[in-house]
Amino acid sequence: MGDDVRVILFTIGDYSVRSYGLVVALAILLAMGVGYFLARGTLYQKHIPNMMIYVVSAAIVSARVWHVFFFQWDYYSEHLSEVPAIWNGGIAIQGALIGGFAAAAIYLRIHRLSFWEMADLVAPAIVLGQAIGRIACFLNGDAFGSPTGSGFGIVYPEGTVAYDAYGSQPLWPAEVWEGQWDLIVFAFLITIRNKTMPTGFSFLVYNILYALGRFMLEFLRGDSPRYAMNWTAGQWTSISVIIVSTAIMMILGYRLKKNKKGEGVPAQGGLLQ
């Protein structure tokens, strides 16, 4: 599988086109396009192109900060000049999601729109973008797994971070499997999107399912420092997301039950406006 890794896709004169940046850009465009389609017929559709500049900018900055401080601070603390070199790879998807969601929430609040309603609409598009983004990680040789100890696995070529870390050892295809898990989550979200649920449920289901898959696959990762309980930063973030999302779902479910009994506020409209 290592022969499929392409850090540099092609060159034009002295300019090298890196697979990482190109595929990430395609993932963002695809997610925006699918989100725009899914929001058709709603007042949110026209806002998707307008808010993307803020969401993407915040996501990139947050993703880089997350990666630098939680994944490779030992290295970057001694090479501060390389912190802005995002074109070489090194962004954390969980950091990107946090930054992007924060920017979207601010934008929607300014325009007096519901974050939760918008999030429900575009959740499938977000996780589809994540799936495509993992292809960028594979081609760049990052977000790699630990050694399998067998003949099975990805052998990364020289010039990748994975090779620098483990050499010509077969590594678990953690990033490939995560991309496949994201596609499963995408299909599930599309399946349930027309079901009647409290506002915010679809988005929270996305958060829980993605975090669950990420938590399990982190056991195979070979590029992340370990913290308490020998968990990675990705696992601690994932378990936090699962707990918080589950708690919010319970609140929404309780509100729906009260609404059916005619005792409380309407279930639709979201927990936060």
Side-chain angles (χ1 to χ4, degrees):
M1 287 183 74
D3 292 338
D4 297 324
V5 176
R6 294 288 186 271
V7 177
I8 305 297
L9 284 180
F10 55 87
T11 58
I12 301 175
D14 295 330
Y15 179 74
S16 298
V17 177
R18 301 181 69 90
S19 60
Y20 191 87
L22 180 60
V23 176
V24 167
L26 291 174
I28 292 171
L29 291 173
L30 177 63
M32 184 178 71
V34 172
Y36 188 83
F37 173 78
L38 294 175
R40 67 193 185 282
T42 73
L43 53 81
Y44 294 95
Q45 187 181 52
K46 66 180 182 180
H47 288 277
I48 290 178
N50 297 335
M51 68 188 297
M52 284 305 294
I53 182 64
Y54 307 107
V55 170
V56 171
S57 298
I60 291 174
V61 172
S62 182
R64 185 60 171 177
V65 169
W66 201 271
H67 174 81
V68 167
F69 284 99
F70 290 109
F71 288 89
Q72 288 190 304
W73 177 241
D74 288 343
Y75 174 82
Y76 284 107
S77 63
E78 299 179 0
H79 302 83
L80 293 176
S81 63
E82 296 183 28
V83 170
I86 197 170
W87 49 87
N88 291 329
I91 58 176
I93 184 59
Q94 289 175 320
L97 293 173
I98 291 171
F101 293 156
I106 293 170
Y107 175 94
L108 292 167
R109 187 171 184 83
I110 291 173
H111 290 270
R112 298 188 177 184
L113 297 171
S114 169
F115 169 81
W116 296 99
E117 290 180 1
M118 168 70 103
D120 278 347
L121 288 170
V122 301
I126 296 170
V127 77
L128 179 61
Q130 291 174 231
I132 304 303
R134 280 309 183 197
I135 297 175
C137 295
F138 169 68
L139 293 174
N140 197 54
D142 64 33
F144 48 87
S146 56
T148 64
S150 69
F152 169 79
I154 301 174
V155 178
Y156 290 89
E158 293 185 44
T160 62
V161 181
Y163 183 89
D164 293 341
Y166 292 108
S168 297
Q169 296 186 67
L171 307 181
W172 290 108
E175 75 276 49
V176 176
W177 286 349
E178 184 177 325
Q180 293 172 339
W181 173 250
D182 290 342
L183 289 176
I184 293 172
V185 176
F186 167 75
F188 181 75
L189 293 176
I190 290 295
T191 301
I192 68 170
R193 69 185 303 263
N194 291 323
K195 295 190 177 296
T196 302
M197 295 180 289
T199 304
F201 243 58
S202 292
F203 176 66
L204 293 168
V205 167
Y206 147 69
N207 276 279
I208 292 171
L209 290 179
Y210 166 67
L212 179 62
R214 177 66 183 268
F215 179 86
M216 299 304 296
L217 288 169
E218 282 288 309
F219 285 110
L220 303 179
R221 289 284 285 268
D223 65 331
S224 303
R226 303 278 168 172
Y227 300 97
M229 297 176 61
N230 203 36
W231 286 1
T232 66
Q235 287 177 307
W236 280 109
T237 303
S238 294
I239 201 68
S240 300
V241 168
I242 291 171
I243 292 171
V244 172
S245 297
T246 301
I248 296 175
M249 288 184 75
M250 292 174 65
I251 294 171
L252 294 175
Y254 174 73
R255 291 182 61 181
L256 179 62
K257 184 177 180 180
K258 285 187 65 177
N259 179 62
K260 287 182 177 180
K261 291 181 178 180
E263 299 175 358
V265 296
Q268 298 298 319
L271 183 65
L272 296 178
Q273 297 297 325

